Amino acid sequence: MAVHPESCLTMLAAGELAHQRWLRDSGLFTSARASAVERGAVDDTGKAIGFWQFRPAAEALLAAHWEHVLNVAEPLESCGYLNGDEAAALTGLPNPPELASEL
């Protein structure tokens, strides 16, 4: 089973949108910070033409799972890295097995 490129691009878009949402929810949003988030996501946004078409799906994904995002945010900041099992334990979501590479 292959991972759909659309899913990957949706996840890349979700990273930037999550950062923007966190700034707004925390009362820290400014235009300068928003610009910094956009600049920080340039590598992600440059991965595909039409990247921004994935924003609606990313917004829906974040809306459905925002509490899970918050549950991993602080431990991720503290450690700098979480593996899939650790993130799954913090969210209560399953961590599916790794997909075989299609090389």
Side-chain angles (χ1 to χ4, degrees):
M1 177 178 199
V3 174
H4 295 292
E6 298 85 17
S7 298
C8 295
L9 293 171
T10 298
M11 293 305 295
L12 291 174
E16 179 183 356
L17 292 173
H19 197 163
Q20 298 281 6
R21 179 173 174 173
W22 181 84
L23 286 172
R24 284 191 304 279
D25 290 357
S26 299
L28 299 171
F29 187 89
T30 65
S31 60
R33 288 182 177 138
S35 293
V37 171
E38 285 182 27
R39 286 189 307 274
V42 164
D43 183 59
D44 290 344
T45 59
K47 296 211 185 302
I49 295 172
F51 179 84
W52 297 110
Q53 71 182 330
F54 299 97
R55 287 179 65 116
E59 289 170 349
L61 187 65
L62 285 172
H65 297 286
W66 187 244
E67 288 303 314
H68 298 304
V69 172
L70 295 178
N71 288 341
V72 299
E74 189 174 329
L76 180 59
E77 182 199 12
S78 297
C79 299
Y81 174 83
L82 294 174
N83 66 36
D85 290 334
E86 292 166 332
L90 289 166
T91 63
L93 296 171
N95 181 23
E98 208 172 303
L99 298 174
S101 175
E102 290 189 27
L103 294 177

